[in-house]
Amino acid sequence: MEVINNWEFKLSAYRLALSTLGFDTQTIAPKDGSKYRNERHSFLSGEYYNILTDDTIYNRLLKLDKDSSLNKTDKRKVTLYLKNLKDTKSLSKEEYVEYNKLVLDSSDVWEVARENNDYELFEPYLIKLIEYGKKIAKKRNNNINAYELFLDDYEEGMTIQKYDEFFNLIKERIIPLLKKVVQKNSVNKGIIKGVYDIDKQKEFNKIIMNYLGFDESWSYFTTSAHPFTSGISKNDIRITTRYDEKDILYSLYGVIHEVGHGMYEHQNSDEINGTIFNTAITSGIHESQSRLFENYLGRNINFWKSNYHILQDYFPHLKSVNINEFVSSVNSCEPSFIRTEADELTYPLHILVRYEIEKGIFDSSIKTENLNKVWNLKMKQYLNVDVPNDSLGILQDVHWASGSFGYFPAYALGSAYAAQIFNTMKKELNVEDILSNNKFNLINDWLREKIHKFGASLTPQELLINATGEEFNPIYYINYLEDKYSKLYNFEI
Ligand code: ZN
């Protein structure tokens, strides 16, 4: 294994360069330098490809795969690398570099298209990315639907059949629940409307990060067009947000969400720092941590018992809004266009729209032309909203522009995992006391021992069993949403 470990170190050095470049591109790098940057960035990706697909290493991994003396962790490492290598080797170096260049160019075009509400500009890139996706999948495994492969890439073990079952449950139970909530419309969301100075928002965000244990000695915080977390290493965690002067929740809950992602990677054990156990963490498990922070903890009234008076000091017009009114407002539901700003109840329906489109693209039941129109129809069908333009519709997310198909469903899955994890956490910890008395470190300690320290050294299924004692069970999520919203909007299920 020593040769593998040395090779892995070399890979991590290249990844450090590539991810720092990526972070730079998305935050501070000037637009006009993008051509020069993208060409060099692509070149470095090619170098990374060379190291990753080294034949001597590949042959050694194949040998180790048959070695029965390997311990469980090494065996898992070999399995993950072999899968990764087989997939990467399915493309020639030229194709790999060409694909990476396409992704970089598409992301740049997407940004301009979104700003100018110009889907026509982006559409040819999207179609090319879909074609590339199909081509890559065919090379990897000709006998299986491309979308099956992609779903498994983002969430190991997930299949179309499993997601179909999950989303059918969402359709059966969440759509009728949403209809009742919309009919009732009894929570006054407008009560917290006002102007929120952006500098003050930044200061308040830092106070919340501090409350959550997100320490400046190993983290960095800035703004970007699309909020994200970049875990460069466990002690170099960078998160971003964006601001709206008219909406205090916009940036705040984005920050709490990204802190959840960041805390996960920071609390990976030292041994897995820079290894595939850090890079191969599945999207669903990652998202369960951000959703846990954002919704299950961050929208909890006990969270606000510690923090609401500070928010009121920063923004005195909130002094006329009591904590119960504020927390109701923070938890209220209103169908809208943008996924990242969606409330907990409509969120899985935003994902359902994307899931059905992706599934349709790859089984060819949906044409790749005019996907913006399909998008708008599905938004009407499931959320009953009329999307006014493509910037608020199909152009809102960066994922497809970066070639990530099959990523979205893991978001809804993450919310459902989080419900199951939260259910166990409440049995083992006094969450109420912890949140209202500033003891968040106890939650971080619990998460480190149950989930964070393992990274991808355990499969998602193993992690869930380890943390909650049972396999994934979506009923916790459905029950949580039904219970929460029927109480908040005062009706019987
Ligand atoms: Zn996230």
Side-chain angles (χ1 to χ4, degrees):
M1 283 299 289
E2 204 189 328
V3 177
I4 301 298
N5 293 336
N6 292 339
W7 167 74
E8 188 171 52
F9 181 85
K10 195 169 173 184
L11 282 175
S12 74
Y14 273 80
R15 237 183 0 256
L16 170 69
L18 288 165
S19 52
T20 310
L21 264 179
F23 182 83
D24 181 88
T25 300
Q26 288 188 70
T27 51
I28 55 164
K31 284 228 165 358
D32 286 358
S34 74
K35 186 171 178 288
Y36 182 93
R37 261 194 324 270
N38 290 356
E39 283 166 0
R40 272 76 188 165
H41 195 150
S42 302
F43 173 79
L44 278 181
S45 304
E47 295 291 292
Y48 182 77
Y49 176 93
N50 284 342
I51 300 166
L52 186 65
T53 54
D54 182 338
D55 273 341
T56 359
I57 296 289
Y58 185 60
N59 291 331
R60 176 162 306 238
L61 284 167
L62 287 173
K63 251 190 212 153
L64 283 167
D65 194 37
K66 293 191 188 97
D67 184 345
S68 54
S69 67
L70 282 192
N71 65 35
K72 190 174 172 255
T73 313
D74 286 344
K75 172 86 189 138
R76 169 95 177 137
K77 185 179 266 189
V78 169
T79 308
L80 286 173
Y81 267 125
L82 267 180
K83 179 184 183 298
N84 192 334
L85 253 75
K86 280 178 186 161
D87 294 347
T88 314
K89 279 166 97 69
S90 64
L91 290 185
S92 68
K93 188 186 167 190
E94 290 69 36
E95 286 171 320
Y96 182 83
V97 173
E98 186 188 60
Y99 177 66
N100 272 291
K101 178 83 169 46
L102 172 65
V103 164
L104 290 170
D105 290 344
S106 301
S107 305
D108 287 345
V109 170
W110 164 78
E111 213 167 313
V112 177
R114 192 180 70 132
E115 265 169 41
N116 300 307
N117 184 30
D118 186 354
Y119 182 64
E120 267 178 43
L121 178 71
F122 177 60
E123 189 179 41
Y125 286 86
L126 180 57
I127 292 175
K128 246 191 248 173
L129 284 165
I130 293 168
E131 280 165 7
Y132 229 110
K134 287 182 178 173
K135 184 172 144 188
I136 291 172
K138 221 177 208 159
K139 287 193 165 208
R140 281 173 55 185
N141 186 341
N142 203 9
N143 305 317
I144 189 171
N145 177 335
Y147 199 44
E148 292 280 13
L149 282 180
F150 299 149
L151 290 176
D152 184 78
D153 285 345
Y154 291 107
E155 195 60 16
E156 190 182 355
M158 283 307 282
T159 60
I160 292 177
Q161 195 201 331
K162 286 184 187 170
Y163 270 122
D164 278 349
E165 283 170 19
F166 174 63
F167 282 113
N168 282 339
L169 195 60
I170 299 280
K171 279 191 203 172
E172 259 169 48
R173 303 274 289 268
I174 302 306
I175 292 176
L177 181 63
L178 175 62
K179 280 193 179 137
K180 279 189 185 168
V181 165
V182 170
Q183 253 169 22
K184 273 273 189 174
N185 193 22
S186 52
V187 174
N188 183 2
K189 201 181 177 192
I191 200 164
I192 60 168
K193 282 229 164 80
V195 176
Y196 294 88
D197 178 76
I198 288 175
D199 287 334
K200 282 189 183 172
Q201 287 194 47
K202 282 183 190 168
E203 281 177 40
F204 185 71
N205 280 340
K206 286 194 175 163
I207 287 170
I208 293 299
M209 288 195 280
N210 192 33
Y211 167 87
L212 297 170
F214 201 70
D215 193 294
E216 274 185 5
S217 60
W218 48 263
S219 70
Y220 178 72
F221 172 53
T222 188
T223 45
S224 70
H226 201 91
F228 67 99
T229 297
S230 178
I232 304 232
S233 74
K234 72 168 277 185
N235 289 316
D236 183 352
I237 307 288
R238 306 177 188 192
I239 66 166
T240 71
T241 190
R242 53 186 174 188
Y243 291 92
D244 180 350
E245 211 180 30
K246 293 197 188 91
D247 188 354
I248 178 71
L249 307 182
Y250 182 71
S251 164
L252 176 64
Y253 277 99
V255 166
I256 300 173
H257 179 98
E258 301 305 334
V259 165
H261 280 304
M263 192 58 82
Y264 184 6
E265 296 210 13
H266 174 63
Q267 296 207 115
N268 281 178
S269 70
D270 287 343
E271 298 82 66
I272 71 168
N273 196 18
T275 72
I276 196 161
F277 294 146
N278 167 258
T279 57
I281 293 170
T282 66
S283 311
I285 293 288
H286 227 304
E287 197 65 10
S288 74
Q289 300 310 295
S290 53
R291 294 267 144 199
L292 183 69
F293 272 56
E294 178 190 352
N295 294 326
Y296 299 80
L297 302 167
R299 292 183 203 272
N300 194 302
I301 187 155
N302 298 295
F303 172 94
W304 285 109
K305 280 181 187 162
S306 283
N307 296 305
Y308 190 50
H309 62 280
I310 308 173
L311 185 70
Q312 286 177 314
D313 286 343
Y314 271 99
F315 303 104
H317 67 272
L318 287 176
K319 291 200 169 154
S320 61
V321 179
N322 71 40
I323 186 168
N324 292 318
E325 291 168 329
F326 179 78
V327 172
S328 292
S329 177
V330 157
N331 283 287
S332 65
C333 164
E334 191 175 28
S336 63
F337 311 115
I338 303 288
R339 173 186 64 85
T340 52
E341 294 155 39
D343 56 77
E344 275 182 279
L345 186 55
T346 54
Y347 190 85
L349 303 177
H350 284 265
I351 302 298
L352 173 62
V353 168
R354 289 156 176 80
Y355 173 68
E356 290 192 347
I357 294 176
E358 289 184 335
K359 197 176 128 185
I361 291 171
F362 288 101
D363 68 16
S364 301
S365 61
I366 295 178
K367 284 206 194 94
T368 48
E369 289 79 22
N370 300 319
L371 283 175
N372 53 340
K373 299 213 166 76
V374 182
W375 180 286
N376 296 351
L377 280 175
K378 287 194 182 286
M379 286 298 285
K380 182 72 185 171
Q381 184 185 355
Y382 295 130
L383 286 127
N384 196 26
V385 293
D386 297 293
V387 178
N389 61 57
D390 294 327
S391 291
L392 292 173
I394 194 167
L395 289 173
Q396 65 183 273
D397 292 305
V398 70
H399 303 64
W400 290 348
S402 49
S404 304
F405 303 101
Y407 193 138
F408 285 121
Y411 283 148
L413 194 66
S415 302
Y417 285 165
Q420 186 171 334
I421 294 165
F422 186 57
N423 182 66
T424 308
M425 184 194 281
K426 279 193 302 184
K427 286 183 199 155
E428 297 182 9
L429 295 178
N430 186 343
V431 176
E432 210 169 289
D433 172 60
I434 288 173
L435 291 179
S436 51
N437 291 304
N438 242 318
K439 301 178 194 164
F440 204 86
N441 59 314
L442 296 176
I443 287 179
N444 286 333
D445 289 348
W446 190 87
L447 288 170
R448 185 182 57 240
E449 291 310 307
K450 294 278 181 172
I451 297 167
H452 293 178
K453 69 178 184 187
F454 300 108
S457 64
L458 300 180
T459 66
Q461 292 79 358
E462 286 170 337
L463 273 175
L464 271 187
I465 292 171
N466 183 61
T468 71
E470 65 175 308
E471 281 180 18
F472 173 52
N473 183 352
I475 209 66
Y476 292 108
Y477 183 44
I478 304 290
N479 288 345
Y480 163 83
L481 289 174
E482 285 184 347
D483 182 58
K484 172 170 183 165
Y485 283 96
S486 62
K487 277 186 187 143
L488 186 61
Y489 284 82
N490 196 19
F491 60 80
E492 304 269 318
I493 288 294

